[in-house]
Amino acid sequence: MSEFQAADMEQRAFARNGMRVPVVGTGTWRTFDVRGRAADDRRLVTDAALAAGATLFDSSPMYGEAERVLGRTLEGRRDRALVATKVWSADDGEAEAQIARALAYFGGRVDIYQVHNLVAWKSRLDRLARLQAEGMVSVVGITHYSPRAFDELQLAMRDTRVGAIQIPYNPQERDVERAILPAAADLGLGVIVMRPFGSGGLLRRPIAPEALAPLAPFGVRTWPQALLKWILSDPRCHVAIPATSHADHLLENAEAGAPPWFGPDERDYVSRLV
Ligand SMILES: NC(=O)c1ccc[n+]([C@@H]2O[C@H](COP(=O)([O-])OP(=O)(O)OC[C@H]3O[C@@H](n4cnc5c(N)ncnc54)[C@H](OP(=O)(O)O)[C@@H]3O)[C@@H](O)[C@H]2O)c1
């Protein structure tokens, strides 16, 4: 039985704005896009996240029901969470409607409000910066999942209103190492890591328990924990946001959120297991 407690979860601060985040958070793409009984069940996932300290929740209007379901699971305890959501539309009217819905779901404020996939990013940054000035948003962010957009992402990162980026990073998707992570560190931006398990693809091939034995001194028992520790051992990454629909998976993932961190040898070892 795990003895991991919320207090064990490491917190890291974004240099530019001082926001402190837990190193393991909770994604909601697909896992919270559910209705009916399944939506009620997701409260158990949020219970587990709050208990384990994985209290940064990432969502988007692109994820169907996810924002609404997340908001419901946080009813009565919104103050214990950091909500990172997104605006995702080229249409100004639709963007306003998305913002109004998110503010209603999340108690009138969003902790990290991101421009999803850089859609209309210049106008959306204007709008999110106004919300920030009005006290409804703490940090403004930008996201993209595709290396094809990383030149534009780098350009947008230099806008001084941006305080955080969300990018994919795992042993099979390492494009951010070339320019994005160094630039984020130089600019003091928060780095939120999406797709830590390659949207589940990295978990499909079984890894023999014996192969994980060398990682036991790092508190790693399972392959998902090895992947999370691989990411978080890079100090330029502030929080990884694995998504899950199971409370036990969430607790397992949260256990990767404490030192000791891997050195270069362990990171190479995990990369070779992929
Ligand atoms: N901005 C963007 O463009 C963008 C794009 C993609 C993702 N994101 C964000 O990043 C988050 C994470 O990425 P993702 O959802 O694509 O994928 P992911 O977190 O890499 O993988 C999720 C998958 O891993 C499984 N899983 C999680 N923990 C597990 C465990 N301990 N044992 C076994 N299976 C486990 C989940 O299944 P179970 O439900 O069975 O646990 C789910 O199928 C998203 O939810 C979203 O918030 C953003």
Side-chain angles (χ1 to χ4, degrees):
M1 191 58 191
S2 162
E3 290 171 8
F4 191 86
Q5 306 279 319
D8 299 327
M9 177 72 73
E10 182 165 306
Q11 307 260 328
R12 291 185 185 164
F14 299 172
R16 176 165 291 184
N17 44 57
M19 172 168 277
R20 285 176 67 77
V21 296
V23 290
V24 178
T26 305
T28 64
W29 181 43
R30 298 200 283 217
T31 50
F32 276 59
D33 181 15
V34 289
R35 292 170 180 268
R37 175 90 176 273
D40 297 336
D41 289 348
R42 290 306 175 271
R43 192 164 172 99
L44 301 176
V45 175
T46 296
D47 289 348
L50 295 176
T55 51
L56 184 149
F57 297 85
D58 179 74
S59 198
S60 171
M62 190 197 200
Y63 305 162
E65 295 295 308
E67 282 186 309
R68 187 181 64 75
V69 170
L70 173 63
R72 261 187 52 197
T73 71
L74 288 172
E75 267 168 26
R77 48 193 183 167
R78 169 69 180 87
D79 286 353
R80 294 172 60 194
L82 290 174
V83 171
T85 195
K86 313 189 187 82
V87 57
W88 173 65
S89 180
D91 178 80
D92 290 348
E94 172 54 21
E96 281 308 313
Q98 291 176 359
I99 290 168
R101 283 196 292 271
L103 290 171
Y105 295 144
F106 302 123
R109 71 196 161 82
V110 168
D111 299 283
I112 306 178
Y113 219 141
Q114 307 155 101
V115 182
H116 200 148
N117 289 351
L118 295 173
V119 176
W121 64 268
K122 290 182 184 149
S123 345
R124 295 301 161 257
L125 285 184
D126 292 343
R127 181 67 182 109
L128 296 181
R130 284 203 303 280
L131 287 171
Q132 189 179 33
E134 290 160 14
M136 285 181 265
V137 168
S138 301
V139 169
V140 172
I142 50 177
T143 83
H144 214 292
Y145 69 94
S146 169
R148 285 192 300 278
F150 284 175
D151 286 344
E152 193 180 4
L153 185 71
Q154 271 205 79
L155 184 69
M157 283 163 67
R158 291 180 195 284
D159 188 306
T160 53
R161 296 170 296 185
V162 172
I165 59 169
Q166 185 179 144
I167 41 86
Y169 189 40
N170 61 55
Q172 221 165 38
E173 294 181 276
R174 301 182 65 160
D175 307 78
V176 292
E177 287 176 347
R178 194 179 53 78
I180 299 292
L181 288 177
D186 281 352
L187 293 162
L189 301 181
V191 174
I192 302 171
V193 176
M194 67 169 84
R195 280 203 324 231
F197 306 143
S199 297
L202 290 171
L203 305 179
R204 266 173 221 128
R205 196 167 64 89
I207 302 290
E210 310 82 80
L212 296 176
L215 305 175
F218 296 84
V220 167
R221 293 183 294 108
T222 70
W223 180 229
Q225 291 172 344
L227 291 167
L228 288 170
K229 215 148 226 198
W230 183 92
I231 294 163
L232 296 169
S233 296
D234 185 327
R236 297 171 298 186
C237 298
H238 293 87
V239 48
I241 48 168
T244 180
S245 34
H246 297 102
D248 55 341
H249 285 173
L250 192 136
L251 296 173
E252 175 187 339
N253 297 341
E255 277 183 47
W261 302 112
F262 293 159
D265 291 347
E266 293 78 28
R267 289 190 100 225
D268 280 355
Y269 179 75
V270 171
S271 302
R272 279 185 273 113
L273 291 177
V274 168

